[in-house]
């Protein structure tokens, strides 16, 4: 069973369209994330949700709207796609950091990535 | 914000040791990690080290942490062709009381293993 699964794996679309990427984890984690990896392989956090609440929101255009219907799912919806949105988007999950001192090592478990190409 | 720097490329011969280096600016990082990314795949955690340690060994992997110089390294012994991948170091700034782990990733090092 895949621990963190994202769909679709590939997405090719035209500028101006709206698209969504879905993510599900079956690890029992309470925190989920979206990361963006650009063409130079640089990884940057976009959002994080803990128990369905937004806790990290980096400087991301408001065309990006994450939604977490429950703690096992975190979807990413992108409106009015632009060329610069082309990237690989990674979903990840973890236990919450509040347990770090009690043995939670803070590691993130990543999905396989969704490659978005905007033409 | 935190900067985490790595050299972009490393090429080694099969059977040799590889050493991948990382420097970081945030001394408050509680955990430091090494992740591996194979082509077309997600990131896989290889190993981690807590900030109060200076060395950790895990089979072929050895992590060295020099807190004074803010330098982290990953040594892979007896490097194999299957080790060819991009390696990312990452730091966790903590504790994060909001309930999330904000990892800052390095720029990644492409390791190429030649026969």
């Amino acid at each position: 069973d895949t621990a963190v699964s994202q769909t679709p794996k590939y997405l090719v679309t035209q500028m101006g369209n709206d698209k969504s990427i879905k993510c599900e984890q079956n690890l029992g984690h309470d925190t989920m994330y979206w990361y963006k990896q650009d063409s130079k392989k640089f990884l940057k956090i976009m959002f994080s949700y803990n128990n369905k609440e937004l806790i990290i929101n980096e400087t991301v255009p408001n065309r990006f709207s994450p939604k977490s219907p429950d703690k096992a799912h975190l979807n990413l919806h992108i409106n009015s796609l632009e060329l610069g949105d082309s990237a690989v988007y990674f979903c990840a999950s973890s236990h919450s950091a509040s347990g770090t001192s009690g043995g939670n090592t803070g590691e993130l478990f990543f999905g396989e990535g969704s490659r978005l190409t905007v033409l | 914000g935190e900067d985490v720097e790595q050299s972009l490329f490393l090429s080694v011969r099969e059977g040799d040791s590889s050493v991948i280096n990382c420097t970081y600016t945030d001394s408050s990082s509680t955990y430091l990690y090494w992740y591996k990314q194979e082509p077309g795949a997600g990131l896989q955690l290889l190993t981690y080290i807590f900030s109060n340690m200076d060395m950790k060994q895990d089979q072929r992997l050895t992590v060295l942490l020099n807190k004074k110089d803010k330098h982290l390294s990953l040594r892979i012994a007896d490097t194999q062709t299957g080790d060819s991948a991009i390696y990312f170091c990452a730091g966790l700034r903590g504790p994060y009381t909001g309930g999330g782990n904000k990892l800052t990733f390095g720029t990644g090092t492409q390791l190429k293993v030649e026969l």
Side-chain angles (χ1 to χ4, degrees), chain A residues 100-112:
Chain A
T100 301
S101 61
N104 170 13
T105 58
E107 67 176 285
L108 267 59
F109 291 78
F110 283 84
E112 294 286 295

Side-chain angles (χ1 to χ4, degrees), chain B residues 88-103:
Chain B
F88 291 92
C89 64
L92 171 65
R93 180 185 297 178
Y96 192 87
T97 55
N101 299 331
K102 187 173 179 180
L103 265 63

